[in-house]
Amino acid sequence: MSYTVFSPSRIFSGPGSIERLKGLVEELGAEQLFVVTDQGLRKAGIVEKVVNLLNDERLNVSVFDETQPEPTVGNYEDALKLAKDTKAQLIIGLGGGSSIDLAKAVSLGMVHPGSILDYVGIDKVPGPGLPTILVSTTSGTGSEVSKFAVLTDEATNLKSVVCSPYNLAVASIVDPELTLSLPPVITAHTGMDALVHTIEGYIAERSSPYTDQLALLAFEKIWNNLSTVYHDGSNVDARTEMAIGSMMGGLVLNTTDGAGMVHGLAFSLGVYCHLSHGLSNSLVLPYVLEVVAP
Ligand SMILES: [Fe+2]
């Protein structure tokens, strides 16, 4: 069988890996930086911590911190307008899947004309967007290493997926220390999303020896540590296992070209019932497995 492995050029992982950010920015030569993040991280002090790392008179850092959970096309257009106004040269996605997906979309919108909806589907993006550095602060979507960006089209209530290798970051940073302040409920929801990625990747029609091994290893890391991080969010070792496991889940889905029926149903459930992505997945997982397990 043949298969294609997609991943960012570089993935920095482990406690303290956020310290690599400034060196990366300098290496890329960008001066106008645009950070896409959310209010939760602003309140947790993580936006300030990251902006302080970029403290340099040559760098101008603009921040869009209005990312919505499950971001809409309208939310994307607001972010894109600010990115254009500030003449962004490099996009930094900082957050969970919502902020990171929005960052990817903004990167494409800065270069390619028309609506982001023109690029929904597989390989519809004609070329690279602005370079991105994607920094995850949850252990869930694996979006920091994936080629997917998901937005909700409010006109049709559809989750719309832009699947393109041009969504891949120049570099991803997976620093478990950024997940230490994540509340238990979000830890649980995002962790379950990551677990589902390993399950759906493992049973996917396009699974391969590469994804099978990666999915099993990632499943084990998440299965063995999710309960620990839910009860003790400050456990750095368990948070590190979750961060690596969820990142590996993202790499699995890159190669299987997406998830399966659990995600398909969960997308609808999330949009119509306003539930988080991880919770929607968790609710339908047992029923789908009952059908597909045989
Ligand atoms: Fe997911």
Side-chain angles (χ1 to χ4, degrees):
M1 68 179 304
S2 70
Y3 53 92
T4 309
V5 173
F6 294 94
S7 104
S9 315
R10 280 179 282 180
I11 303 170
F12 298 100
S13 66
S17 48
I18 189 64
E19 300 291 334
R20 304 296 293 267
L21 181 63
K22 191 174 180 195
L24 271 167
V25 167
E26 284 171 349
E27 186 186 316
L28 293 169
E31 290 172 358
Q32 304 292 336
L33 314 180
F34 189 72
V35 179
V36 180
T37 186
D38 65 43
Q39 283 293 316
L41 290 169
R42 176 71 89 182
K43 289 186 186 115
I46 292 177
V47 175
E48 195 183 5
K49 177 188 162 119
V50 169
V51 170
N52 285 342
L53 284 174
L54 297 168
N55 186 18
D56 188 317
E57 59 188 20
R58 285 172 305 143
L59 302 177
N60 288 315
V61 185
S62 305
V63 178
F64 177 84
D65 60 7
E66 299 293 333
T67 304
Q68 302 162 349
E70 324 288 316
T72 59
V73 172
N75 195 203
Y76 152 79
E77 283 166 355
D78 290 343
L80 180 65
K81 182 177 184 308
L82 187 61
K84 284 184 172 168
D85 288 348
T86 60
K87 299 187 168 47
Q89 297 170 321
L90 171 68
I91 311 293
I92 299 173
L94 173 69
S98 299
S99 293
I100 290 180
D101 284 5
L102 201 57
K104 291 172 180 173
V106 168
S107 139
L108 299 179
M110 288 295 285
V111 173
H112 302 296
S115 162
I116 190 70
L117 295 174
D118 298 340
Y119 305 107
V120 167
I122 298 173
D123 292 338
K124 297 277 177 63
V125 181
L130 285 187
T132 57
I133 298 175
L134 302 177
V135 184
S136 59
T137 63
T138 64
S139 295
T141 61
S143 183
E144 70 278 5
V145 295
S146 86
K147 58 178 179 172
F148 309 103
V150 185
L151 295 177
T152 300
D153 177 3
E154 55 273 70
T156 57
N157 256 354
L158 285 176
K159 286 259 189 174
S160 304
V161 185
V162 178
C163 172
S164 166
Y166 299 116
N167 274 328
L168 290 166
V170 169
S172 305
I173 298 178
V174 185
D175 186 340
E177 287 180 351
L178 299 179
T179 70
L180 294 176
S181 59
L182 209 59
V185 167
I186 302 179
T187 299
H189 290 187
T190 52
M192 281 302 295
D193 181 33
L195 191 76
V196 171
H197 294 162
T198 67
I199 296 169
E200 295 216 280
Y202 189 71
I203 63 180
E205 279 190 25
R206 292 185 193 223
S207 64
S208 61
Y210 169 81
T211 57
D212 283 351
Q213 293 303 312
L214 207 54
L216 285 175
L217 196 55
F219 179 90
E220 198 176 292
K221 285 180 183 298
I222 297 162
W223 184 263
N224 290 340
N225 290 282
L226 182 51
S227 173
T228 306
V229 293
Y230 176 77
H231 292 290
D232 175 15
S234 62
N235 185 320
V236 177
D237 290 341
R239 288 286 197 188
T240 301
E241 289 293 284
M242 285 297 300
I244 296 169
S246 59
M247 179 262 284
M248 290 160 69
L251 294 173
V252 167
L253 294 190
N254 273 345
T255 305
T256 58
D257 266 342
M261 208 193 303
V262 176
H263 271 70
L265 292 170
F267 277 164
S268 302
L269 197 59
V271 168
Y272 284 99
C273 302
H274 302 287
L275 302 176
S276 80
H277 176 64
L279 179 59
S280 311
N281 275 317
S282 309
L283 290 171
V284 299
L285 175 68
Y287 302 102
V288 172
L289 288 185
E290 209 172 293
V291 174
V292 302

